[in-house]
């Protein structure tokens, strides 16, 4: 097999980035598409030159090796299970699911079917993030004790204000900005720092969104088992193009990273192999501010998954790691509900007893409403 034949489920906003990212990759061919919205399906399929199917069953019988799933979060579990049963390999968009139990069902179904399964967490595949992981592993900044990270993406207010769109709802989205964007940061930070011990979270709404919609802003303070303390700032309503920043301080140096910079990383390190000593330097890294970094990271992510299929190897980014990202989302929400610091052990007790879906209930009442006091201009 020289290339992987992919089908797609869901022809919404994120498809464009995957399409652009893999455009020049000879190991990936997108063949077929399925979407419950036939009008959208036909429009997108025509433009992307894909065969269309009007049922999931027929789509799964098409001549494909793997499926890229890009549907609302509450559907991830059921669709992954159904695709796994058809024997196709699966790459499914983040967040893995809305609860830990759904993640477990997805892991069990894909293991039983013996198919490759990876969550499309593009932050694991950004060259800037891979560079950070590499120099941390090589001890360039020593033991990390402090940091902060920010993800800000301007999302059309309609997505918050329209109660009928699935985005940012508790039931279909699994929550607001913490579930939708926070999961990127949590998965990335876990990769660099290991497991989270405890969290303190505040949720806020700067737009007057209906009660079925989650927070559009959040701050989470995370303490890792390693002892590192990190602030995570999230917003979906900041008026700038989507961007990300991470700043990490260790016993041997500092890394500053900002996706809005042309050259996204600055390092200060006392490591003997550091390019420059005693001052910040910017290594050359493949990058471009939005929309470039979406396209670049999704291109690498899809290429890596295709490589795993072609070379019959298990993805290094495991579904269990993706599940840990969902666990930090739920831990953050649990803290907001309790109004205090909560530990991962407390969340695990809920997981073993009432179930983690209970964490998503009644979050609206603990979300601070700021919109009444401010004027959007
Ligand atoms: N990695 C990133 O940076 C990034 C960016 C945007 C979105 N995403 C993720 O991609 C996924 C999709 O997001 P989106 O913004 O494209 O959403 P979207 O609402 O634009 O598109 C979702 C599509 O799924 C279709 N759909 C709904 N129910 C379906 C069903 N039962 N069967 C088949 N199709 C169905 C809808 O008709 C729609 O076309 C989400 O998991 C989201 O978090 C990731």
């Amino acid at each position: 097999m020289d290339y992987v034949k992919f089908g797609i489920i869901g022809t919404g906003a994120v498809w464009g980035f995957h399409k652009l990212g893999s455009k020049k990759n000879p190991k990936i061919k997108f063949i077929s598409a399925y979407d419950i919205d036939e009008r959208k399906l036909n429009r997108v399929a025509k433009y992307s030159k894909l065969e269309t199917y009007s049922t999931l069953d027929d789509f799964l019988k098409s001549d494909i090796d793997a499926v890229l799933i890009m549907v609302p979060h509450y559907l991830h579990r059921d669709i992954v299970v159904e695709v796994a049963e058809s024997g196709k390999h699966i790459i499914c968009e983040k967040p893995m699911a809305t609860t830990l139990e759904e993640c477990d069902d997805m892991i069990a179904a894909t293991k039983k079917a013996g198919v490759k399964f990876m969550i499309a967490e593009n932050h694991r595949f950004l060259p800037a993030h891979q560079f950070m992981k590499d120099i941390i592993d090589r001890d360039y900044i020593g033991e990390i004790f402090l940091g902060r990270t920010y993800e800000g993406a301007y999302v059309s207010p309609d997505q918050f204000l329209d109660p009928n769109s699935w985005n940012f709802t508790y039931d279909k989205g699994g929550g607001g900005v913490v579930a939708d964007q926070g999961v990127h940061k949590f998965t990335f930070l876990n990769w660099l720092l290991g497991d989270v011990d405890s969290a303190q979270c505040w949720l806020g709404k700067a737009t007057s969104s209906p009660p079925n919609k989650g927070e559009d802003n959040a701050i989470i303070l995370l303490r890792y088992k390693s002892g590192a303390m990190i602030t995570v700032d999230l917003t979906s309503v900041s008026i700038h193009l989507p961007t990300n920043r991470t700043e990490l301080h260790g016993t041997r140096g500092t890394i500053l990273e900002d996706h809005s910079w042309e050259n996204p990383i600055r390092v200060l390190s006392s490591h003997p192999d550091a390019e420059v000593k005693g001052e910040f330097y910017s290594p050359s890294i493949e990058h471009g501010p939005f929309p470039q970094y979406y396209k670049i990271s999704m291109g690498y992510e899809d290429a890596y998954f295709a490589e795993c299929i072609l070379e019959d190897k298990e993805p290094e980014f495991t579904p269990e790691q993706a599940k840990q990202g969902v666990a930090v989302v739920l831990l953050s929400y649990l803290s907001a509900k309790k109004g205090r610091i909560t530990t991962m052990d407390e969340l695990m007790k809920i997981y073993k007893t009432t179930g983690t879906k209970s964490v998503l209930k009644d979050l609206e009442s603990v979300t601070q409403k700021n919109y009444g006091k401010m004027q959007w201009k």
Side-chain angles (χ1 to χ4, degrees), residues 9-14 34-37 40 70-73 75-76 79 93-95 122 166 180 184 294 298:
I9 303 180
T11 54
V14 79
Y34 169 69
D35 195 300
I36 204 157
D37 180 338
K40 203 167 177 182
M70 300 168 286
V71 296
H73 306 159
L75 295 169
H76 286 187
I79 293 190
E93 264 297 346
K94 49 54 65 176
N122 62 318
W166 70 272
D180 193 87
H184 284 301
Y294 273 49
M298 291 189 199

